[in-house]
């Protein structure tokens, strides 16, 4: 499959939720899916843990480098363009331990245990990626993005230093309370000009970077059975993903929100402070973006959250109603890797401007796969193909009730006598990653 710029518009992720519903899940199951009720801070809340403990949101793993007597260094393995899952952890965490104990449960921060002043060794870990990202040149990154449009986060007055004629107090009176306002820019030069005067930008990574990293992580995690179509044209590929590039500016803050994707962030340059809290929504269908100035997204986000928790309140994390346990903050520096699951609340503050990339993974969920199979199965029966008619001669409710009484029998047929129905829905050809080779455009 040849690399190309996808024709679809970029998704807006958590910071610019555009109202779409995501069918997200992973292929593995865990005890947290039971949704048992536990106690957190002596209050009854819906939880996803078996016991009463609210675990720390983030597990930190440190990568060491050894200074030898001959002045040569033993460094963690650099992250390349086609990394195995263990390459992200640099040897400090096995793939099996990650998938069994942390994936879709806790955030994992892999940091380089290197003196902060030794930036050369930190950059060595991500040097190969930096090269593929045009040595972090904003102009080239914006020009070569996979996105049709580039998102520019407009600095609010609250983020701007007061000048000699206006006080900070006056700025706060007319500020937007920290809400992010975003515009879409089609022209890379316009986006670069806005970035140069202090506005943060966000776009998808170049196609070569995006397609290789997404394919590698889908395979490594098993999401969507590792299925991935880089062209975006397949109707049966179970896995999807994107790589977002964040070109930050001084003082930028992305306030509390959660995403519906599984996320792997790689800090290429600069430093950010990440804060986390455990969420209450398991495998969310939508993100929750109270930090974003997009009131049109509130209704759809609440509807998705209400499917799991009718007491969910739109806004910042509020234990024990919409969050669990205590918050935790970490510093993410160049060379660090951060994984955090869907549904985990997070806040990001720019300490030192720089560039980071985030690989967001999505997969078709079981509800979608089963419902589509039922949909096609019912079409075989003319009674289900009949249009809904409610008149003096046709009672729609009576007809619908008769059809519903037949559903258990139909489901038994779909399941198969020996339980082979699952193989029909998910045949062997879809259970394993496809083999393909990335090729450059001619």
């Amino acid at each position: 499959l040849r690399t190309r710029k996808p024709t679809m518009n970029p998704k807006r992720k958590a910071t610019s939720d555009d109202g779409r519903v995501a069918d997200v899940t992973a292929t593995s199951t865990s005890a947290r899916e039971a949704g048992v009720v536990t106690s957190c801070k002596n209050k009854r809340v819906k939880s996803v843990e078996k016991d009463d403990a609210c675990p720390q949101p983030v597990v930190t793993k440190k990568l060491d480098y050894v200074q030898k007597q001959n002045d040569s260094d033993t460094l963690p393995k650099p992250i390349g363009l086609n990394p195995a899952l263990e390459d992200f952890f640099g040897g400090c965490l096995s793939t099996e331990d990650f998938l069994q104990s942390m994936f879709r449960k806790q955030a994992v921060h892999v940091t380089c245990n290197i003196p902060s002043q030794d930036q050369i060794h930190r950059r060595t870990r991500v040097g190969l990626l930096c090269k593929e990202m045009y040595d972090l040149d904003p102009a080239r990154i914006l020009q070569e993005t996979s996105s049709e449009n580039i998102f520019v986060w407009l600095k609010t007055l609250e983020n701007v230093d007061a000048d000699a004629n206006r006080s900070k107090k006056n700025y706060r009176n007319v500020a937007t309370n920290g809400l992010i306002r975003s515009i879409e820019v089609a022209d890379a030069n316009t986006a670069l000009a806005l970035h140069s005067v202090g506005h943060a930008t966000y776009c998808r990574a170049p196609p070569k970077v995006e397609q290789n990293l997404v394919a590698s992580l889908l395979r490594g995690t098993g999401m969507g059975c590792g299925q991935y179509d880089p062209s975006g044209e397949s109707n049966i590929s179970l896995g999807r993903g994107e790589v977002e590039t964040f070109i930050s500016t001084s003082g930028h803050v992305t306030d509390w929100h959660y995403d519906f994707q599984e996320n792997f962030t790689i800090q290429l340059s600069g430093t950010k402070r990440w804060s986390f809290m455990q969420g209450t929504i398991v495998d969310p269908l939508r993100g929750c973006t109270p930090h974003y100035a997009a009131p049109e997204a509130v209704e759809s986000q609440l509807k998705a959250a209400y499917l799991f928790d009718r007491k969910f309140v739109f806004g910042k994390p509020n234990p024990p109603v919409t969050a669990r346990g205590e918050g935790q903050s970490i510093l993410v520096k160049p060379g660090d890797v951060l994984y955090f699951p869907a549904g985990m609340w997070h806040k990001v503050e720019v300490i030192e401007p720089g560039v980071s990339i985030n690989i967001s993974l999505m997969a078709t969920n079981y509800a979608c796969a089963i419902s589509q199979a039922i949909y096609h199965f019912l079409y075989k029966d003319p009674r289900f193909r009949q249009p809904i008619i409610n008149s003096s001669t046709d009672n729609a409710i009576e007809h619908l009730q008769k059809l519903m009484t037949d559903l258990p029998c139909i489901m038994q047929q779909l399941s198969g006598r020996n339980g082979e129905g699952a193989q029909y829905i998910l045949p062997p050809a879809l259970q394993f990653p496809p083999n393909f080779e990335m090729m450059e455009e001619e």
Side-chain angles (χ1 to χ4, degrees), residues 202-273:
Y202 147 54
C203 62
R204 284 165 59 183
K208 182 179 179 181
V209 175
E210 178 174 87
Q211 294 169 3
N212 280 277
L213 290 179
V214 169
S216 296
L217 279 176
L218 285 175
R219 288 170 179 263
T221 60
M223 287 197 67
C225 300
Q227 293 281 325
Y228 176 55
D229 173 29
S231 70
E233 297 176 354
S234 172
N235 293 323
I236 62 173
S237 183
L238 300 177
R240 303 181 304 284
E242 293 184 356
V243 177
E244 300 94 1
T245 304
F246 297 91
I247 309 176
S248 62
T249 52
S250 180
H252 181 81
V253 176
T254 304
D255 215 337
W256 289 102
H257 65 283
Y258 67 72
D259 305 333
F260 60 77
Q261 307 100 327
E262 304 294 325
N263 297 277
F264 290 81
T265 289
I266 305 173
Q267 194 70 30
L268 303 179
S269 65
T271 301
K272 293 181 178 179
R273 177 183 292 111

Side-chain angles (χ1 to χ4, degrees), residues 16-251:
S16 51
D17 202 323
D18 62 359
R20 292 179 295 172
V21 176
D23 50 346
V24 185
T25 191
T27 57
S28 61
T29 58
S30 63
R32 71 180 193 146
E33 292 173 336
V36 295
V37 178
T38 62
S39 175
C40 181
K41 290 188 177 180
N42 299 321
K43 294 185 178 181
R44 298 285 290 178
V45 297
K46 278 191 175 180
S47 179
V48 293
E49 299 296 327
K50 274 189 172 182
D51 53 30
D52 290 341
C54 293
Q56 283 288 95
V58 187
V59 175
T60 297
K61 299 288 184 178
K62 292 185 178 181
L63 294 177
D64 294 313
Y65 89 101
V66 179
Q67 184 77 37
K68 296 183 178 180
Q69 292 182 354
N70 60 1
D71 293 332
S72 64
D73 302 321
T74 301
L75 297 171
K77 184 179 178 180
I79 302 173
L81 201 57
N82 295 287
L85 183 57
E86 56 265 24
D87 292 342
F88 284 87
F89 309 129
C92 67
L93 179 65
S94 70
T95 298
E96 183 178 356
D97 287 343
F98 170 73
L99 294 177
Q100 183 175 1
S101 304
M102 301 170 187
F103 186 50
R104 300 173 57 236
K105 301 179 183 72
Q106 286 180 288
V108 179
H109 175 213
V110 180
T111 183
C112 299
N113 191 20
I114 299 173
S116 58
Q117 66 272 16
D118 196 349
Q119 294 297 319
I120 295 178
H121 287 107
R122 282 188 166 274
R123 290 170 183 158
T124 299
R125 176 148 161 81
V126 293
L128 296 176
L129 287 178
C130 289
K131 183 178 180 180
E132 295 291 343
M133 294 292 293
Y134 307 104
D135 294 320
L136 308 186
D137 177 17
R140 289 295 307 278
I141 292 174
L142 296 175
Q143 289 171 357
E144 302 298 331
T145 177
S146 298
S147 306
E148 288 187 351
N149 294 319
I150 299 166
F151 294 93
V152 179
W153 289 328
L154 299 179
K155 250 186 175 180
T156 64
L157 296 176
E158 205 170 46
N159 300 126
V160 180
D161 292 334
D163 57 26
N165 298 322
R166 303 181 70 177
S167 67
K168 288 186 177 181
K169 181 177 180 180
N170 289 335
Y171 268 76
R172 293 193 184 99
N173 287 339
V174 293
T176 58
N177 297 322
L179 297 180
I180 291 178
R181 294 193 180 277
S182 174
I183 59 173
E184 294 185 41
V185 178
D187 178 58
N189 291 329
T190 302
L192 181 63
L194 290 169
H195 171 73
S196 66
V197 295
H199 301 291
T201 56
Y202 147 54
C203 62
R204 284 165 59 183
K208 182 179 179 181
V209 175
E210 178 174 87
Q211 294 169 3
N212 280 277
L213 290 179
V214 169
S216 296
L217 279 176
L218 285 175
R219 288 170 179 263
T221 60
M223 287 197 67
C225 300
Q227 293 281 325
Y228 176 55
D229 173 29
S231 70
E233 297 176 354
S234 172
N235 293 323
I236 62 173
S237 183
L238 300 177
R240 303 181 304 284
E242 293 184 356
V243 177
E244 300 94 1
T245 304
F246 297 91
I247 309 176
S248 62
T249 52
S250 180

